[in-house]
Amino acid sequence: MALLEVRNLRTYFHTRDGVVKAVDDVSFDVEAGQTVGIVGESGSGKSVTCYSLLNLIPQPPGCIESGLAKFGDIDLLSLSEAGMRKVRGSRIGLIFQDPMTSLNPYLKISTQLIEPLQIHEGASKSEALERAVAELDAVGIPDPHKRIHSYPHEFSGGMRQRVMIAMALITRPEILIADEPTTALDVTIQRQVLDLIKERQEDLGTAVIFITHDLAVVSEVCDYVNVMYAGRFVERANVKAIFNSPKHAYTRALQKSIPAMQSKGKRLYTIPGLPPNLSEDIVGCAFAPRCEVKEGDPCCIDTRPELVELEREHWVQDCPGCLSARI
Amino acid sequence: MSYLELQNLTKHFTKRGGLLGMNFTEVKAVDGVSLTLERGEILGLVGESGCGKSTLSRLIMQLLEPTSGSVVIEGERLVDLPHSEIRKRRRDFQMIFQDPYASLNPRMTVFSTLAEAILTRHPNLASDRHSLRKAVSDLMERVGLDSRFVRKYPHEFSGGQRQRIAIARALATEPKLVLADEPVSALDVSIQSQILNLLKDLRDELDLTMIFISHDLSVVRYIADRIAVMESGKIAEVQEAEDLFKDPQSQITKTLLSAIPQIR
């Protein structure tokens, strides 16, 4: 049995402009120790999917309409806030894109780092501090005995992200959700942070849900990839299959639009049009308006295409137009 | 004659420290940079954070005064000019910033943002609303925005569209030199390509000289003619874009190249 089983998750936002179906029927599994990627453009629902699992969606306007998230023998979606507090930060850790906004600038790193141990494990202050120093050492902060008493602004961006990782992993969670952890960092620091996450994951056996829009990063860190578009998964497979034999038009278009993949001098390939407005009802294939199909339009018109297992372990939205489109 | 020349440009910041601030330490943010740019050339400027890229760009834009050295545009040393004269020249060099959310005034419509910039070049249009409106909509079309959106505010646009507005604003003063500081870093991959295509088209159509700052070598490789790599305030290496990838000379370039995530 998988460590985490998400089934038919639907998260809608009820706004003045109508109902925004940010996450619309999403199912996926996370096995212990695995790295599962969720890729997509901004606004495709990647973050909302993960925040729904941890009850971090502001309600209202957000509302988890349906779904099940089995984590061991508990359902994350039906947990009370008190019950969720026991899981969040202890069994499921979280790192965000921007470490400066997620660390409290008024508190020393030490205070913030020992908090989860004191709350979740009832550790004494001196014991917690000792473990915090060890954890800082493990994420490669030099001179952790001294540095633990610094404030967040005394660290560089990359170091701050290391502190975040230490904080998220200090309680030895079973799952770590990493929401664009390297997007704000430059390439060399990004490399270090990616290597660090991988290294800690191997040491601790943590499963990682990796949210990003950067396909190159996905190809390096993930075992399994979910491609998200307009609130749904359009394709899901292991990382090799996603990059070697992508099936859905959106996955192929996304890969083709990476600047590094194109030769100099030629015009860069771009996906025409914009992602659909999620507050309007989407009938048929959500990618149809941007899909470059030649004659006619074989994209689904009446019903939204279902995910089907086209090859073993390779799931794709069954839309004839998107599968046959030449990108 | 080259269009832009940086001659041994240096900027030192002094940092006070110690008891009563008696200790001075000097930070050499930009340390003897010499570069030349031909008209219509795109120069990529890469380096890790903290290497001095942004300080260098501020020096070129005349937003900071250099400690020593000079910026020469079309044979004219800008340090010799009085401030009032530099203010007039500022129309000729414009900047595009990383974050279009932060660099556009949220209380100004697209029209007022662009009109304000156009008026600095053509003050006589102020009394001629019709031509001004025409100039604004021409500009919007040039960067691929629908001119129907002229009365909208920045928050009503997507990230990619906002970056187009920022580009339009930079072009409104009809600059000769555009300095783009990480213009696509905050955007999605699919939008990145659109903006890169746009910048390249604009260079070809308007004969712009461009400095493109980024930490992402793969993006710079595509757009730049030559690439300069910076490390701790100095230029470590300048090469033709493709040569830099094939045959990197300096250690920092090799480090940067090996850090790029690769699709396997």
Side-chain angles (χ1 to χ4, degrees):
Chain A
M1 202 188 76
L3 178 62
L4 173 71
E5 280 181 39
V6 181
R7 292 289 171 272
N8 308 97
L9 175 67
R10 282 194 175 86
T11 307
Y12 294 175
F13 289 87
H14 297 265
T15 67
R16 249 184 269 172
D17 302 329
V19 181
V20 177
K21 297 177 175 171
V23 177
D24 198 11
D25 200 0
V26 157
S27 304
F28 64 100
D29 290 345
V30 181
E31 306 280 349
Q34 201 179 39
T35 306
V36 174
I38 302 180
V39 240
E41 289 173 84
S42 16
S44 61
K46 315 178 290 273
S47 300
V48 175
T49 304
C50 289
Y51 294 172
S52 302
L53 300 179
L54 292 179
N55 199 12
L56 289 174
I57 300 291
Q59 303 189 25
C63 180
I64 295 171
E65 305 280 333
S66 75
L68 194 76
K70 264 185 80 185
F71 179 50
D73 47 8
I74 51 176
D75 176 16
L76 292 175
L77 301 182
S78 59
L79 270 187
S80 64
E81 181 52 31
M84 177 51 82
R85 245 179 261 150
K86 291 209 177 81
V87 174
R88 197 198 298 139
S90 107
R91 296 182 64 196
I92 302 181
L94 192 56
I95 26 180
F96 297 96
Q97 172 173 352
D98 185 355
M100 202 58 214
T101 50
S102 39
L103 288 169
N104 187 333
Y106 290 115
L107 296 179
K108 285 180 181 167
I109 296 295
S110 56
T111 324
Q112 305 185 52
L113 210 51
I114 62 174
E115 200 180 35
L117 288 176
Q118 288 175 317
I119 292 173
H120 293 297
E121 297 178 18
S124 72
K125 196 172 174 186
S126 57
E127 185 200 337
L129 204 60
E130 206 171 294
R131 281 176 63 188
V133 170
E135 193 65 34
L136 279 189
D137 194 35
V139 296
I141 302 240
D143 209 2
H145 286 280
K146 259 193 209 155
R147 295 293 270 160
I148 196 165
H149 298 294
S150 316
Y151 287 92
H153 73 266
E154 296 175 66
F155 289 87
S156 67
M159 283 296 163
R160 258 179 240 148
Q161 200 58 293
R162 281 171 195 264
V163 172
M164 283 299 296
I165 294 170
M167 201 190 293
L169 291 177
I170 199 161
T171 54
R172 304 286 178 262
E174 289 142 80
I175 300 178
L176 174 70
I177 297 176
D179 187 2
E180 308 249 9
T182 60
T183 309
L185 306 174
D186 70 27
V187 260
T188 42
I189 313 292
Q190 162 169 292
R191 157 76 43 210
Q192 293 166 10
V193 170
L194 291 179
D195 289 347
L196 175 68
I197 293 177
K198 195 109 217 170
E199 185 192 309
R200 296 301 288 149
Q201 181 184 15
E202 278 163 13
D203 291 349
L204 307 174
T206 316
V208 178
I209 303 178
F210 204 101
I211 306 175
T212 180
H213 68 258
D214 191 335
L215 282 168
V217 170
V218 166
S219 85
E220 289 211 345
V221 301
C222 295
D223 303 314
Y224 219 67
V225 185
N226 296 297
V227 182
M228 200 161 186
Y229 186 73
R232 293 192 178 194
F233 288 159
V234 294
E235 185 159 1
R236 165 202 326 190
N238 66 46
V239 68
K240 266 203 186 126
I242 284 282
F243 287 97
N244 293 343
S245 56
K247 304 256 184 268
H248 196 274
Y250 180 62
T251 316
R252 287 181 280 147
L254 213 52
Q255 287 184 23
K256 203 177 165 191
S257 63
I258 303 173
M261 305 287 278
Q262 310 192 26
S263 53
K264 201 175 161 69
K266 275 196 196 154
R267 270 190 88 70
L268 291 173
Y269 172 79
T270 58
I271 308 176
L274 289 171
N277 181 351
L278 294 180
S279 63
E280 283 159 19
D281 268 334
I282 298 168
V283 266
C285 173
F287 193 61
R290 305 175 75 186
C291 194
E292 288 166 342
V293 194
K294 278 181 192 150
E295 312 100 45
D297 189 359
C299 275
C300 297
I301 307 163
D302 309 322
T303 49
R304 282 192 82 169
E306 297 289 322
L307 264 189
V308 294
E309 194 168 8
L310 212 62
E311 279 165 22
R312 219 173 78 82
E313 294 280 291
H314 195 147
W315 297 71
V316 192
Q317 268 192 0
D318 190 22
C319 168
C322 287
L323 289 175
S324 65
R326 281 213 186 163
I327 301 287
Chain B
M1 190 179 64
S2 48
Y3 175 69
L4 172 74
E5 204 178 334
L6 308 181
Q7 294 170 342
N8 206 11
L9 205 58
T10 303
K11 179 73 189 176
H12 294 176
F13 292 104
T14 39
K15 202 168 131 187
R16 269 167 192 253
L19 188 67
L20 303 174
M22 297 299 272
N23 295 336
F24 292 93
T25 42
E26 205 154 65
V27 181
K28 295 177 178 171
V30 173
D31 194 14
V33 168
S34 299
L35 272 175
T36 52
L37 256 93
E38 298 302 324
R39 182 145 211 158
E41 187 182 9
I42 300 183
L43 177 82
L45 185 61
V46 292
E48 294 178 87
S49 32
C51 73
K53 299 182 300 244
S54 297
T55 309
L56 181 63
S57 67
R58 294 213 177 107
L59 288 171
I60 299 171
M61 289 288 120
Q62 303 296 310
L63 297 171
L64 280 175
E65 255 178 57
T67 309
S68 68
S70 57
V71 180
V72 182
I73 292 184
E74 289 181 306
E76 203 166 22
R77 275 165 58 97
L78 291 184
V79 273
D80 297 341
L81 296 175
H83 280 286
S84 57
E85 201 55 33
I86 286 177
R87 258 188 90 80
K88 280 185 204 149
R89 295 296 153 89
R90 196 153 274 152
R91 292 181 298 223
D92 291 338
F93 34 92
Q94 286 289 317
M95 210 161 161
I96 301 167
F97 297 93
Q98 172 171 4
D99 188 356
Y101 295 70
S103 58
L104 292 171
N105 187 336
R107 291 174 177 236
M108 283 166 86
T109 59
V110 178
F111 180 82
S112 38
T113 300
L114 297 182
E116 186 184 48
I118 290 171
L119 288 175
T120 60
R121 177 66 78 179
H122 301 287
N124 54 326
L125 283 184
S127 52
D128 186 357
R129 296 298 282 183
H130 180 73
S131 309
L132 184 62
R133 221 169 287 147
K134 171 106 179 32
V136 169
S137 57
D138 284 351
L139 198 57
M140 286 180 75
E141 265 148 41
R142 163 145 267 161
V143 298
L145 283 169
D146 196 325
S147 53
R148 279 181 302 153
F149 299 148
V150 70
R151 296 284 165 198
K152 289 198 175 205
Y153 288 91
H155 73 265
E156 297 175 84
F157 292 92
S158 69
Q161 286 173 318
R162 246 177 274 199
Q163 196 59 291
R164 286 176 195 266
I165 301 172
I167 293 172
R169 184 183 55 183
L171 295 176
T173 64
E174 296 162 27
K176 296 182 192 118
L177 174 69
V178 170
L179 206 151
D181 190 356
E182 308 255 11
V184 298
S185 306
L187 305 173
D188 276 326
V189 239
S190 57
I191 313 294
Q192 277 189 10
S193 321
Q194 294 175 10
I195 298 296
L196 291 174
N197 277 340
L198 171 66
L199 288 174
K200 210 150 191 183
D201 288 347
L202 291 170
R203 190 273 300 259
D204 296 343
E205 286 163 24
L206 307 173
D207 200 22
L208 290 175
T209 311
M210 205 181 294
I211 299 180
F212 190 99
I213 301 179
S214 180
H215 65 256
D216 189 344
L217 267 167
S218 55
V219 168
V220 178
R221 174 190 204 164
Y222 173 75
I223 197 163
D225 303 313
R226 278 189 310 151
I227 300 178
V229 183
M230 249 184 119
E231 188 187 21
S232 43
K234 291 192 169 75
I235 299 286
E237 178 169 5
V238 191
Q239 279 214 61
E240 296 287 318
E242 278 310 303
D243 296 344
L244 187 96
F245 274 78
K246 280 187 203 122
D247 183 23
Q249 298 294 322
S250 63
Q251 192 50 47
I252 180 72
T253 314
K254 288 175 192 160
T255 313
L256 286 171
L257 285 174
S258 66
I260 303 176
Q262 299 288 339
I263 296 214
R264 293 171 183 155

